[in-house]
Every structure is written in structure tokens, then in C-alpha cells.
Amino acid sequence: MDFKIEEGDFLAIIGTSGAGKSTLLNLIGLLDLPTSGQIFVQGEEVTKLSEKDYHRIRNSMIGFIFQDFKLVRDMTALENVEIPLAYSNRYSKKERHSQARDMLKRVGLDGKAQSYPDELSGGQKQRVAIARALANRPRLLIADEPTGNLDSETTQEVLALLQALHQEGITVIIVTHDPYVASHANTVWRMDNGQLHQE
């Protein structure tokens, strides 16, 4: 397949289980390398870069949100949001702390900074995950089934937050099997047996 994701787009990739959505997402998010072909990020061919540079681009430009949140249970919400900041090696401990607090406030959880994941609702956990994804101020936000474990009201809240982030200029990609979730995007692509089609 050959495709281009425009900066500032809000894209949904929809398809049934096993269609290849997660594999495609891992390639777009630089979590996996292709066995053949090329991936360009802002005009730079990245598949030939060193592993260190590959990780640097991913950590500085891309934020990830997962269906099962992937929060560390024995770390507070604030500490979870600080994780990508620590990996970047660009911030002091004080700066990490301040920026993580700002991100929690941005998603409406400034009062839950010292709460542990087991003390949070599903929607609150997803908001912590979104705050963590935003911590390094990425230009691309990738959400893999971000509402899959949420009730309808919380789904609306998360979708509204993603739309607001898109309006701020962040490129957003949602992978989902839910047509309703996909309908909130500006562009919808369908994965079918490893093939990509625009809806």
C-alpha cells in the first residue's frame, strides 16, 4: 500500500479484527519496521536510521493511547504521565513534574495527580493515558481502540477531547472497529485483508 497522512488531519482507520489495523498502526507509529518498503516522516526516510534516532523521532513526535490504558499500577497518575518525559532526557525532575501536572490539568484530572490507577474509573484511566501521550507535546497522536473499554458517556467525553486536541493542530489517528467512533474523524480509511481503502 502507498498512502500519505497529512499534517493536521483527523483520520480513522476502521476494520474487523484481524484485518491488519494494528500492524499498520505499529508501522505508522514507528513501533515496528517494515520488512520492505519505506516510511517517511516529514520528508525524511526513517527506516534506514539508527535505532537510537528511530526511537528519538518516535518519542519526540508521536504519542500513543491504548485500549487497555497501559498504566503502571504502582505509580501515581502524575508518575505515569512523567514516564515519556523521563525517557526523553530533555527535562529536569522539576520540569517533568510541572509538565505532567499541566497535562493532567489539560484533561481535567488535576485533582487526581496522586491517585493510583486502581483508584480511578475507566474514563479517568484513559484521560491519564491521554495526558501521558501528550506529555512530550507530540505532533501525531495515535489512539488504538481508545473507547473500547468505556461506557457510552465516557466515550463521548474522550472523543470530544480528541477532537479538541485536533483543533489545536495535533494530527490524530484513531484505529477502531466502531463506525460511530470513526464518524468523528474527518477522513475514514477501511482495512480489509491487509488492503487500505478510503471510505
Side-chain angles (χ1 to χ4, degrees), residues 30-54:
L30 308 184
L31 292 172
D32 289 337
L33 281 168
T35 51
S36 63
Q38 297 172 303
I39 299 173
F40 291 84
V41 177
Q42 294 187 311
E44 181 180 12
E45 210 279 293
V46 299
T47 51
K48 299 285 194 288
L49 294 176
S50 68
E51 187 174 347
K52 181 179 178 181
D53 285 337
Y54 200 69

Side-chain angles (χ1 to χ4, degrees), residues 1 13-15 19-21 24 189-196:
M1 60 181 69
I13 301 173
I14 193 168
K21 302 188 304 298
L24 178 62
W189 293 348
R190 178 174 292 277
M191 281 290 293
D192 185 20
N193 292 323
Q195 299 298 312
L196 193 62

Side-chain angles (χ1 to χ4, degrees), residues 77-79 81 99-114 124 127-129 131-132:
L78 185 69
E79 290 168 337
V81 176
Q99 191 153 321
R101 277 198 175 278
D102 287 346
M103 292 302 110
L104 285 172
K105 185 174 182 180
R106 188 176 187 184
V107 300
L109 287 180
D110 47 327
K112 297 289 185 180
Q114 298 306 317
Q124 290 170 334
R127 284 176 178 268
V128 173
R132 182 184 57 197

Side-chain angles (χ1 to χ4, degrees), residues 76-148:
T76 64
L78 185 69
E79 290 168 337
N80 268 281
V81 176
E82 286 184 24
I83 291 173
L85 298 172
Y87 277 124
S88 72
N89 293 317
R90 289 184 291 160
Y91 305 96
S92 68
K93 186 174 181 179
K94 184 177 180 181
E95 288 171 331
R96 292 198 304 265
H97 194 74
S98 175
Q99 191 153 321
R101 277 198 175 278
D102 287 346
M103 292 302 110
L104 285 172
K105 185 174 182 180
R106 188 176 187 184
V107 300
L109 287 180
D110 47 327
K112 297 289 185 180
Q114 298 306 317
S115 297
Y116 289 89
D118 288 348
E119 299 170 334
L120 301 173
S121 69
Q124 290 170 334
K125 289 177 185 176
Q126 193 58 292
R127 284 176 178 268
V128 173
I130 292 172
R132 182 184 57 197
L134 295 173
N136 271 330
R137 307 188 189 283
R139 302 178 73 162
L140 170 62
L141 191 61
I142 295 177
D144 189 2
E145 298 282 4
T147 61

